[in-house]
Amino acid sequence: MSFKNYPMVSRVVFGRGSFNQLSEIIEPKRLNAKAPFVFLVDDVFKGNSWLISKIPLAYKDELIYVSTAEEPKTSQVDALVEQIILNHNERPSGIIGIGGGSILDLSKAVSILLTNEGEAKDYQGWDLVRNPAIYHVGIPTISGTGAEVSRTTVLTGPERKLGINSDYTPFDQVILDPELTKDVPKDQWFYTGMDCYIHCVESLNGTYLNSFSETYGEKAMELCKSIFLENNLTDKEKEDKLMMASWHGGMSIAYSQVGVAHAMSYGLSFLLGTKHGIGNCIVFDHLEEFYPEDVALFKKMRKLNNIELPQGICANLSDEDFDIMINVALSLEPLWENAVGKKWKQTITHEKLKSLYKLM
Ligand code: NAD
Ligand code: ZN
C-alpha cells in the first residue's frame, strides 16, 4: 500500500475584510511591470462597485469577467489562455480567481495551461501535468465546493467530465473573506452549502474513511448542522462557519473519496447540464437506502430553509439518454468502491441506477 503525499494550499488568510489585503499579498509576486496579474472574476459582479473597486489593478493588469451560466469547459480554458497570451507580451505574474467553484476551477486550469503545452483536455486525469503552474490565487465568493482547497479542477471536455488532478493544481494562496459571500441568493447558498454537507456524508460513510478524513469531515458536518438546522446564528456567523465548513469538507474528501450522490450527479450534469450543487441535491433526496439518517436530515434542512427542488427532470428521457447517464455514473469506479465496497458491482447495476434516475 502506498500512501498519498498530498500537496496543500501554501498560504491562506482568513477574516472578514481580508480581501482588502489583496494588493499587499500579491505585489511581492509581481515579476516585472510587463508581467500582469490577470483577474478572472464571475460576471455576476459586473457593476458591483463594492467588490470591483477593491481589485488592485496596476501596470498591465487585466480583469476578465467570466460567465458561470454553464460549468467550466476545457474549451473555455483554452480560449482564456489564448486571450491572455495574445493580450500580453509576457507571461503573467499570476492568475487571481474571484468567484465560486466554477471560477476557482477555471483559474487553476488556466494557470496550469499557461506553462504546459497543448490543450486542457490533454491534462484531464491524474498526474499528467509536467510543469509547475504560474502563481495562482483563489478567492471564493460562495462556500461549499471545497474547490479552494482541492487538488483538482473539474472540467467538461469533449469526451468526459473529469478533473485535472495534479500536484500543481492547488492554489499558492487563498483568501477566505466570508464577507464576500453576503449577497449569494438563498437557493444557491443552500445548493452549494449542501455540496459541502454531501462531501461530509459521503466521506464519513465511505469504506475509504480514515482518521485524517474523519476529523475534518466530523467538524464540517457539525458546522453544517448548526448552519442549516439551528436558528441561533447571525448571518455573519453563518457566512464565517460555512466558509470553514467548505474548507474542512474539501480536506475530508482529499484523503478519502465522494460517493453515490456525486457519481449520479455527474451523469445528470453530463447529459442535462445540471449544475453540481443542485444536481447533488436532486440525487441525494432519493438516496435513503444508502445514507438513511443523512437523507432524513437533508430533507429537514430543505424544509426548514424553504428550498424546493426541481421534480421530474428525468421524466421525458429516452432509453438512450438513460444509458448515457448510467454509463457516466458507472465509470466513476472509485466513488462506488468507496460508497459500497469492493464488491459494488454486485448491487450497483445498470437497472439499479435506472430505477433511481427514474425517481428524479
Ligand atoms: P458557481 O461557481 O457556478 O456559482 C453558482 C452561482 O452563484 C453562479 O450563478 C454565481 O454567479 C453565483 N455567485 C457566486 N458568488 C456569488 C456572490 N457572492 N453573490 C451573488 N452570486 C454569487 O457554483 P459553485 O457551486 O460554487 O461551484 C460549482 C462548480 O464547482 C462546478 O463546476 C463543480 O464541478 C465545481 N466543483 C469543484 C470542486 C473541486 O474540488 N475542484 C469540488 C466541487 C465542485
Ligand atoms: Zn461536490
Side-chain angles (χ1 to χ4, degrees), residues 195 199 262 276 280:
D195 189 23
H199 292 159
H262 276 76
H276 188 78
N280 282 351

Side-chain angles (χ1 to χ4, degrees), residues 65-83 102-103 106 110 120 155-156:
Y65 286 109
V66 180
S67 164
T68 55
E70 292 178 353
E71 297 208 323
K73 295 191 174 58
T74 54
S75 57
Q76 198 180 2
V77 174
D78 298 331
L80 280 166
V81 169
E82 192 179 323
Q83 179 181 349
S102 300
I103 296 286
L106 277 172
V110 166
L155 300 173
T156 305

Side-chain angles (χ1 to χ4, degrees), residues 191 274 278-279 281-282 285-286 307-313 359-360:
Y191 302 144
T274 314
I278 193 169
C281 288
I282 291 170
D285 210 36
H286 297 285
I307 304 290
E308 296 290 336
L309 289 176
Q311 304 292 325
I313 63 167
L359 301 171
M360 297 169 198

Side-chain angles (χ1 to χ4, degrees), residues 15-34:
R16 303 185 76 81
S18 59
F19 186 51
N20 293 323
Q21 276 168 240
L22 181 55
S23 174
E24 70 184 70
I25 289 169
I26 63 176
E27 219 38 61
K29 302 286 182 184
R30 188 183 291 282
L31 300 172
N32 64 61
K34 285 188 197 144

